[in-house]
Amino acid sequence: MDMVQRLSQIRGRVDTACARVGRDPASVRLLAVSKGHPPEVVRSACDAGLAMFGENKVQEAKAKIPLCPGRLEWHMIGHLQSNKVRDAVAFFHTIQSVDSLNLAVELNKAAEKAAKVARIFLEVNVAGESTKFGYSPEAIFADLEALNQLPRLEIHGIMGMAPWTPDATRVRAAFRRLREIRDQCCSHLGVPSMELSMGMSGDFETAIEEGSTLIRLGTAIFGPRRFARPVAD
Ligand SMILES: *Cc1c(COP(=O)(O)O)cnc(C)c1O
């Protein structure tokens, strides 16, 4: 199956998941996770109509983005170290993986220097797995006010992952928790809505049923990652 066929299958599955819960399919956007794939693959995805791409390493993105069509919207979805904030602000439209006030302060400084406003999502670790990054659900509310006061940052959403488990109940519970956190953030910040970035190749239909507005798909679109050009980060 080629990418165009895989995309049409994915769109069908998105439509069906939306229909199950009475959502408009246009309310679920697709972020194509291109990590581990070269610029040629991004170009074909762009030709197939995709416009939003996700990368999880600044080094890889920095090498790749200049070789891709210029009109694409790039999202950082991997753990970000403070020493990479300058490049992150330069290369990404949105940084979805903000997981501490320290990191946000550094991003704010980098955005100020670049005379930009950086769009961020807050990453929340609802899976409770120590291998995953993100704010604990409690810690996020302690920082929210301070985060919101950083003049060069705009909080646009919440990002998270379900635990790695075949237990569908736990996966759904994690997505539900992320949605609650998103809703609480909206009311704390006094904004009507925020993005909810959740759902990957193995669990996006459940994520949609639980309210995802942005699914992040790699394998489902591109097939397995070959890591043909490993880039250290
Ligand atoms: C790799 C990755 C994805 C996509 O994973 P697939 O299972 O290939 O769809 C989504 N989100 C994050 C944060 C990732 O690192």
Side-chain angles (χ1 to χ4, degrees), residues 80 82 85 89 95 97-112 118 120-122 135 143 146-148 150-153 155:
L80 181 59
S82 299
V85 292
V89 165
I95 296 164
S97 44
V98 175
D99 59 2
S100 74
L101 185 54
N102 276 345
L103 176 61
V105 167
E106 294 305 317
L107 281 167
N108 185 66
K109 279 187 210 156
E112 163 106 64
I120 63 165
F121 290 7
L122 303 175
Y135 270 107
D143 279 3
L147 289 163
N148 195 38
L150 293 168
R152 294 284 175 167
L153 299 191
I155 306 170

Side-chain angles (χ1 to χ4, degrees), residues 33 35 56 77 159 161 200-201 216-219 225:
V33 179
K35 66 185 184 195
N56 70 336
I77 59 171
M159 187 266 270
M161 276 178 226
M200 301 171 38
S201 294
R216 307 182 307 266
L217 305 187
T219 317
R225 289 178 275 277

